[in-house]
Each structure stands twice: as C-alpha cells, then as structure tokens.
C-alpha cells in the first residue's frame, strides 16, 4: 500500500489566448491600484503590452530582471518599488522575471499577478532561488507563491525556437523527477504523465511551426502541469545537478537541464524501473533516457555541457558538490558515477541504450530470418506475426504445457476439417477475426451495403433457379417472400447480377448437415432482372448453434459462451466490374442479435421480415407469410 502526504495550494489560474486583456481585472480583483510592471531586458515589448492593458494603474516599470535572481538586482528593484508606492506586482517573462517578482513579494508581501512566457514553471511553485556572492540559495515559502497566474498563449509565440525547446525540456525534467520523488502521489503521478505525453507531442510541433497557437497552447498547458508537480513534490539528482551547474558555474538554466536530463534519467532508471516504464510509455518510446536524448538531438537542441560553456576542469568539483549534502534520490549518490555521468554529458555522448533482453534478442533473430523474403507484403505480415506472437508469449508467460495444449488444439482443428466441415473458419469466426477482416474490407467501400462473414456453410456452384422459384422445396417453415434489388452506390440498378442465397431451415440446420436430404435445399443461384430485382420464396431462417463437437465447441464451453448465431439469410452478390459482396440479413427482433457467436451482426443488416396476411404478390395459396424487401448496394 502506498502512503503519502499531499498539500494543495490556493492559486488562481487564467489560461487562454489573448488573456493579457484580463490583467487589469485580475489586479483589481486582488485590490491593486498601483502596479509595478516587471520584465527582463529582452521583455520590453511584452511589458509594453501589459502596461497598455493596465493603463492608469501602472505606477512604474522595471525591466532589469536577471537569471538566477541576483540579490543586487532585487535591491535595485526594491528601491524602485518603494519609490513608486506600488501595491501590486505584475511580472511578464520567464522564470527570471517571475523570480524577481517572488523576491520582491518575499520582502514586501505584495500580491503578484504573473504572465509566464516560457515553460520553466516557476509561476506555480512556492520556491525562490536567489544568488548572493556567487551562491544560489533556495527557500520555499507560501509568501512567494504568486496569487494569480495569467497564461496567455499569444505571449509565447515570440519565444525563440531554441529557448522554447530547452524550456520545454526543463518542464519535462520536473515531471520525470516527480514520478520517482519520495513524495509522489496519485495527483502528481497523473499530472506528470499527462505533462510528459503533452510535451513529447507538442514540442516537435512548436519547433516546426513556432507561431501556431494550438501547439503552443498544448505545450504551455503541459508546462503548467509540470510546474505544479515541481511545486508539490521534492526533486532529486537531476535538479540538484542543474542547480549546482547553474548556481556555481554560471551555466544557463534551461540549456543545462536539457543537456543533463537524459544522463540523470539513465543514472536513476535502474533504481526506479516502474517509473521509467511509465515515462517511456508516456513519451511513446521503448527506452526513456535514450528517447529524451533522441528527442533533443533530433530537434537540434544542446546535447553537450562543453557547448553551453562548462569547463572540463570543473567537472570533478561539480560531482563533489552534487553529493555534498544528502537529498532524496532513487539511486544512491556516488561521486565517481556522477563524475562519469557529467563527463559523458560534457562530451555530448548519449546515454547507453539498454541491452536487449534474451527474449528481445530471440525475437530479433527470428524477425531477421524473414528479412530477405522477396515479397514485401509477405515479409511485413510474417515479421509482424512473429513479433505479436512472441509478445503474446512473453506478456502472458505462456507455460510449456499451455503451448503444447495450443498446438494440440490447432492439430485437432485441422483434423476436424473436411469437404463439408470447416473448423478453422469456425475458429476464426468465433474469435472475431473473420469479422475484423470483414470490417476493414467494408470500411474501404463507403456507401455500400456492409458485408458479413462467409461462414462455413457456403457450397460453391449452387443450383441455378429462375425468378419466383421456391428454394425450400416443401421444407416445413413459415413462407418468406424475398423481393430485393441490387444497385450500385448511386442507386443505378444492376441487371444480370448473380446472387447466391443460402440459409438454415426452421430448426437451424443447413442442408449439408442433414444427410437424409436429397440434393441442395435452401440454397440457390439467381440472376437479377432488367430492374436489378430478384424475387423468390423461401422460409424464415432460425437461430442455430454452430457445430460444437470439435475444438471450437471446447473453447466456447471453457469460456461459458453460448454457440448460437442470430437467424439470418446469406447473400453472395457479383456483377461485372463491381466488387463482390458477401453479406447476411438478420430479421429484426430475432434471438441473439446482441450476442451472435461469430460477431456477424451489423445494425445496417438488421431488417424487418414483415408478417403479412392476404394473398402474396404471385397469388400463391399460403395462410401466413412474411416479406423481406431490401436494396443491396455494391461498389463499382
Ligand atoms: P528566463 O526567464 O531567463 O528566459 C530565458 C530567455 O528567454 C531570456 O533571454 C528572456 O528574455 C527570453 N524570453 C522569455 N520569454 C520570452 C518571449 N515570450 N519572447 C522572447 N523572448 C523571451 O529563463 P527561464 O528558463 O524561463 O527561467 C530560468 C530562471 O527561473 C532561473 O533563474 C531558474 O532558477 C528559475 N526557475 C525557478 C523556478 C522555481 O520554482 N523557483 C522554476 C523554474 C525556473
């Protein structure tokens, strides 16, 4: 059982495009009337937009925010703040600007409205890291958590692609570490997995089209979730290392996170296997650390500490600092292993791909054996079959006895087949595979009558009958007058279409199951007339059990499944230059429509077999009869 402590935080989040227009209302909601607008040196335009919305509420602007929140910058801003008499802080920019707002809030307790323009996540954490005398000191206090966050996607479209990429990986780092944090809980787990999938999906789209709003919105939303995790649970080695390299060696924040993340993940992966399986799944890759490295490298992001300004000679010191004080991390912190990690990251080497397991190696070997199959489709099907079968065996830990049973089952399935009994079709039907193949085929011919499985009772070359014939040959059952048409998709009638019909009798048996019958009954071949029309007499079909004296019956019994098919009449229709159609019509209200044992029922094929009284159309003398009217549409 899992134990955890979870504290939620009170904060107002406004998310959307153009939400900067709501900043004045948000300030007023907090009781603010004189605002100090904060931005970084490159954030002048954005601060201008915010100031325009605030109008007369602007008391002063300070555009000097700097990375890692140096205390001397905070002191300067504090002087401006005091001078201006501001009663509210509005910050627009990345983590650096928001850090300044937090530092001022810590000293003055003024409310903050922040508009993040990167994906760093600081806006939703109660954490502040300040640098004084070259040392970065981090503290956590509810006093620094901004009261209101206004996410405006439009403010992020100007964020340069390289910063967007590293900032998004910064967000990814928060959620990777959240999943193996000692404080992880169901809330942060869900947020983290959602954020990982969101970042992996949206980031390549943002890089491809940095000004498009939708990808930016998806990424910003994922960053909010990631920041929320950062503000809720403790982080591990990755954040410690990034913090050390940024604070003590002056490396840029988001770039450092980006270079380090695949390496810190590879370091921790063996100690948190479950978390890493989930991370890989959310990323959509087989291995999480190499997946992140490939994502960054593939999008042109930084992959080496050397390239972002780290001196090689500083690596041992960085490793020493990373283990100087204890903090939670899934894998034991070993200075030598961390030094190796940093050396790899310095050179830009990717983390080692995990060794394939013996099972994976076997699958690869078998797949490779089909590698030179000349026909590409055959190769594709064979290798796919091998991969799926192997995965099935591994995932279900199939035992030797179970596999021997499966082989015996298939052997007996084959032995049960002869000219009139097709146990393999029954097996395919009852496993729903026939219907799946049929479904795919059907979806390729839109606007036509849905097809349905052939079933095991079709006999090639049925007796040819004339229009109006009775194919029941006096067999007992309620007469059914069939009056159907065959057209193309555009309702143009198809004369001389060949229509094979077959069905069960009123006890549910096909003629080939009744050895006492002399010749084919309830099966025939017709041709449509000049109007594409076909009329004949038969009897109402009945529900029937599929043969259960073979391996398929054994399977149904073992599963507690009934063997019944819903009543139906089979049709096989062919016309020159048209796609053949094999289908079935089911009387509405019949038994087993919702549990047909071969999954053959489709709503469009359930039709009224309408009971009638009075004389039938051809004047035949019958007491009770039913009529079936239907139009089959087949594809050209
Ligand atoms: P940043 O704020 O320094 O911004 C990076 C660069 O992007 C800057 O040059 C900035 O001017 C530019 N920029 C930002 N938004 C822009 C936009 N919309 N258009 C054009 N340019 C834009 O970097 P960051 O990565 O967002 O934040 C890093 C800082 O935040 C570090 O000091 C870090 O320690 C801190 N941080 C703190 C927390 C926390 O919880 N306390 C969390 C994350 C980051």
């Amino acid at each position: 059982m899992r134990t955890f402590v979870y504290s939620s935080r009170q904060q107002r989040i406004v998310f959307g495009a153009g939400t900067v227009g709501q900043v004045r209302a948000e300030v007023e909601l907090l009781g603010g009337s004189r605002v100090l607008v904060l931005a970084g040196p490159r954030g002048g335009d954005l601060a201008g937009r915010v100031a325009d919305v605030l109008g007369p509420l602007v008391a002063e602007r300070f555009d000097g925010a700097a990375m890692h929140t140096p205390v001397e910058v905070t002191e300067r801003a504090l002087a401006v703040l005091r001078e201006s008499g501001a009663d509210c802080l509005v910050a627009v920019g990345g983590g650096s600007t928001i850090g300044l707002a937090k530092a001022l809030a810590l000293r003055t307790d003024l409310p903050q409205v922040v508009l993040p323009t990167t994906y760093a996540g600081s806006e939703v954490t109660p954490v502040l890291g300040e640098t004084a005398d070259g040392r970065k000191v981090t503290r956590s206090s509810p006093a620094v958590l901004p009261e209101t966050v206004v996410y405006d996607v439009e403010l992020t479209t100007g964020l340069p692609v390289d910063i967007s990429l590293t900032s998004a990986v910064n967000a990814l780092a928060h959620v990777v570490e959240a999943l193996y944090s000692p404080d992880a809980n169901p809330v942060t787990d869900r947020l983290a997995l959602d954020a990982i999938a969101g970042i992996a999906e949206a980031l390549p789209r943002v890089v491809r089209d940095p000004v498009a709003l939708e990808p930016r919105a998806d990424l910003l939303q994922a960053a909010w979730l990631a920041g929320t995790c950062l503000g809720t649970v403790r982080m591990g080695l990755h954040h410690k290392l990034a913090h050390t390299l940024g604070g003590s060696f002056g490396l840029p924040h988001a770039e450092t996170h980006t270079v380090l993340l695949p390496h810190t993940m590879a370091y921790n992966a063996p100690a948190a296997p479950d978390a890493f399986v989930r991370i890989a799944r959310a990323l959509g890759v087989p291995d999480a650390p190499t997946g992140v490295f490939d994502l960054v490298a593939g999008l042109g992001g930084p992959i080496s500490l050397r390239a972002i300004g780290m001196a090689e000679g500083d690596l041992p010191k960085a490793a020493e600092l990373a283990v100087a004080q204890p903090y939670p991390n899934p894998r034991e912190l070993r200075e030598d292993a961390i030094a190796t990690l940093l050396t790899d990251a310095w050179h830009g080497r990717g983390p080692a791909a995990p060794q394939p397991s013996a099972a994976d190696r076997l699958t690869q070997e078998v797949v490779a054996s089909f590698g030179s199959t000349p026909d590409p489709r055959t190769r594709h099907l064979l290798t796919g079959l091998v991969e799926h079968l192997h995965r099935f065996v591994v995932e279900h830990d199939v035992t030797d006895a179970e596999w021997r049973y499966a082989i015996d089952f298939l052997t007996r399935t084959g032995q049960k087949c002869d000219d009139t009994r097709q146990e393999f079709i029954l097996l395919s039907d009852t496993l729903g595979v026939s219907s799946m193949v049929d479904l795919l085929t059907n979806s390729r011919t839109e606007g036509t009558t849905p097809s349905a499985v052939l079933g095991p009772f079709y006999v090639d070359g049925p007796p040819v009958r004339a229009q109006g014939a009775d194919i029941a040959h006096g067999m007992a059952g309620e007469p059914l007058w069939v009056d159907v048409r065959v057209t193309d998709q555009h309702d143009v009638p198809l004369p001389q279409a060949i229509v094979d019909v077959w069905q069960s009798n009123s006890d549910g048996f096909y003629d080939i199951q009744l050895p006492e019958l002399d010749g084919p009954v309830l099966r025939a071949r017709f041709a449509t007339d000049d109007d594409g029309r076909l009329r004949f007499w038969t009897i109402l079909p009945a529900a029937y059990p599929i043969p259960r004296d073979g391996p398929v019956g054994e399977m149904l019994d073992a599963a507690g499944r009934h063997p019944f098919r819903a009543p139906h009449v089979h049709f096989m229709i062919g016309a020159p230059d048209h796609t053949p159609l094999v289908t079935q019509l089911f009387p509405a209200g019949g038994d087993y429509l919702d549990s047909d044992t071969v999954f053959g029922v489709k709503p469009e094929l359930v039709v009224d077999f309408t009971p009638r009284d009075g004389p039938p159309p051809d004047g035949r003398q019958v007491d009770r009869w039913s009529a079936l009217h239907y139009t089959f549409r087949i594809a050209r």
Side-chain angles (χ1 to χ4, degrees):
M1 192 191 67
R2 196 175 188 190
T3 51
F4 53 84
V5 174
Y6 171 71
S7 308
S8 61
R9 296 183 207 294
Q10 184 71 27
Q11 212 179 16
R12 183 172 161 87
I13 308 290
V14 179
F15 191 99
T19 45
V20 66
Q22 299 173 34
V23 166
R24 182 171 176 166
E26 292 300 330
V27 166
E28 286 169 347
L29 205 60
L30 293 171
S33 58
R34 290 181 62 76
V35 172
L36 174 63
V37 179
L38 301 168
R42 285 162 60 186
D45 290 354
L46 298 174
R49 282 170 74 178
V50 172
D52 286 348
V53 175
L54 288 170
L57 266 54
V58 176
E60 193 52 87
R61 276 174 58 170
F62 182 85
D63 291 351
M67 178 96 64
H68 303 308
T69 329
V71 169
E72 54 281 13
V73 174
T74 305
E75 299 292 344
R76 282 209 316 277
L78 195 58
V80 174
L81 171 62
R82 296 241 156 87
E83 182 77 14
S84 68
D87 58 8
C88 185
L89 300 163
V90 172
V92 57
S96 300
T97 309
I98 293 168
L100 175 60
K102 287 174 158 181
L104 293 174
L106 182 72
R107 288 162 175 80
T108 61
D109 211 21
L110 289 187
Q112 311 166 62
V113 175
V114 301
L115 296 93
T117 61
T118 68
Y119 308 112
S122 175
E123 66 279 1
V124 283
T125 81
V127 178
L128 169 64
E130 295 186 284
T131 321
D133 305 325
R135 273 191 65 228
K136 191 165 179 177
V137 179
T138 300
R139 78 182 82 211
S140 180
S141 158
V144 303
L145 183 74
E147 279 71 5
T148 304
V149 182
V150 178
Y151 287 106
D152 186 344
V153 181
E154 287 176 4
L155 299 187
T156 65
T157 53
L159 189 66
V161 168
D162 56 340
I163 303 178
S164 303
L165 194 163
T166 53
S167 191
V169 179
N170 184 190
L172 185 60
H174 306 332
V175 275
V176 163
E177 292 230 291
L179 279 166
Y180 54 65
S181 169
D183 312 321
N185 59 71
V187 174
T188 52
D189 281 0
R190 285 273 26 110
L191 297 184
L193 291 171
D194 235 55
I196 292 173
I199 293 167
E201 197 271 331
L203 179 57
R205 288 159 61 216
V206 165
V207 171
R208 269 198 304 277
D209 188 359
V211 294
L213 278 184
E214 279 305 324
R216 286 283 188 184
D218 292 346
L219 192 52
L220 192 58
Q221 193 172 303
W224 164 43
L225 303 182
T228 305
C229 290
L230 173 69
T232 311
V233 298
R234 281 173 293 169
M235 299 282 121
L237 170 69
H238 173 81
H239 280 74
K240 175 68 181 177
L241 266 185
H243 186 262
T244 304
L245 298 194
S248 304
F249 301 97
L251 293 200
H253 177 80
E255 289 93 323
T256 308
H257 271 279
T258 303
V259 174
L260 287 179
L261 186 59
H263 298 277
T264 51
M265 287 172 76
Y267 184 91
N268 278 331
D274 291 350
F276 276 87
V277 166
R278 290 196 287 168
I279 295 168
R281 212 175 285 149
L283 286 168
V285 296
D287 173 61
T290 49
V292 170
F293 183 84
D294 293 345
L295 177 74
V296 171
L299 295 175
I303 55 166
S304 83
L305 290 176
R306 175 172 40 186
I308 61 169
M310 180 93 193
E312 191 173 13
D314 287 337
L315 295 177
K317 181 71 186 163
E320 188 191 320
L321 287 174
V323 296
Q325 280 157 7
Y327 55 90
N329 191 62
R331 185 174 155 196
E332 188 197 354
L333 298 164
R334 286 195 22 221
E335 193 176 326
D336 56 342
I338 292 172
T340 306
L341 173 170
L342 286 171
T343 306
D344 284 343
W346 190 83
H347 286 283
R349 299 179 197 124
Q355 285 299 311
S357 65
D360 287 342
R361 277 202 304 278
L362 177 61
T363 304
Q364 285 163 10
E365 202 179 321
V366 182
V367 165
S369 75
F370 289 106
S372 26
T373 307
D375 176 55
R377 176 70 178 161
T378 309
R379 184 173 61 241
H380 189 64
L381 291 175
L382 283 172
T383 54
L385 182 69
V386 167
E387 283 165 352
H388 280 79
L389 272 177
H390 283 212
R391 200 173 314 134
F392 176 87
V393 171
V394 170
E395 277 179 15
H396 299 281
D397 199 5
V398 173
T399 63
D400 190 44
E402 285 165 341
W403 189 241
R404 270 188 284 124
Y405 175 84
I407 288 175
D408 175 59
F409 180 90
L410 290 173
T411 306
R412 287 185 289 117
T413 301
Q415 286 164 345
K416 198 77 188 165
C417 294
D418 58 28
D419 291 349
T420 55
R421 173 76 180 262
Q422 234 306 351
E423 193 75 358
F424 267 116
I425 294 185
L426 273 188
L427 183 58
S428 158
D429 289 355
T430 48
L431 290 174
V433 182
S434 309
S435 282
M436 188 59 84
V437 173
D438 172 57
L439 198 73
L440 298 176
T441 308
N442 212 49
S443 64
R444 288 191 273 264
T445 51
E446 221 173 280
T448 59
T449 301
S451 52
V453 296
L454 177 72
F457 299 118
Y458 178 71
V459 179
D460 200 11
V464 175
R465 300 278 182 229
Q467 290 256 355
D470 184 347
I471 66 171
H473 296 291
M475 191 168 260
E478 182 165 325
L480 173 68
W481 173 247
V482 179
D483 183 350
V484 293
R485 289 175 73 226
V486 179
T487 73
D488 69 7
Q489 292 120 300
H490 312 292
D491 287 333
V492 176
L494 297 175
Q496 299 309 312
I498 301 301
V499 182
D500 287 358
V501 182
W502 70 107
Q503 65 167 89
S504 72
N505 67 10
S506 55
D507 293 326
F509 291 106
Y510 286 76
D511 54 359
I512 54 175
Q513 295 173 293
L514 301 168
E516 69 279 13
L517 277 183
D518 184 17
V521 178
L522 292 171
R523 66 177 72 237
R525 173 167 291 171
F526 296 101
T528 55
D529 67 13
D530 290 347
D531 296 325
R533 214 166 152 189
L534 165 63
R535 281 155 289 188
F536 63 92
W537 280 104
T538 180
I539 54 174
L540 286 177
Y544 60 85
I546 58 166
R548 48 194 307 197
D549 57 339
V552 171
E554 192 181 301
M555 177 184 79
L556 296 182
D557 285 348
R561 268 175 60 178
H562 74 68
F564 284 95
R565 289 232 50 205
H568 56 274
V569 180
H570 294 265
F571 295 86
M572 181 190 283
I573 303 172
D577 303 325
H578 286 74
T579 310
L581 172 69
V582 176
T583 193
Q584 305 173 13
L585 294 181
F586 300 85
D591 292 333
Y592 306 112
L593 282 176
D594 56 359
S595 64
D596 184 47
T597 200
V598 307
F599 311 97
V601 180
K602 293 175 183 160
E604 303 92 322
L605 301 176
V606 178
V607 292
D608 284 330
F609 285 40
T610 319
R612 291 280 170 81
D613 39 33
D618 67 347
R620 184 180 172 185
Q621 293 294 312
V622 283
D623 295 338
R624 282 157 47 97
W625 59 288
S626 292
L628 163 62
H629 294 275
Y630 194 77
T631 299
F632 295 98
R633 293 188 176 78
I634 65 175
R636 230 190 139 60

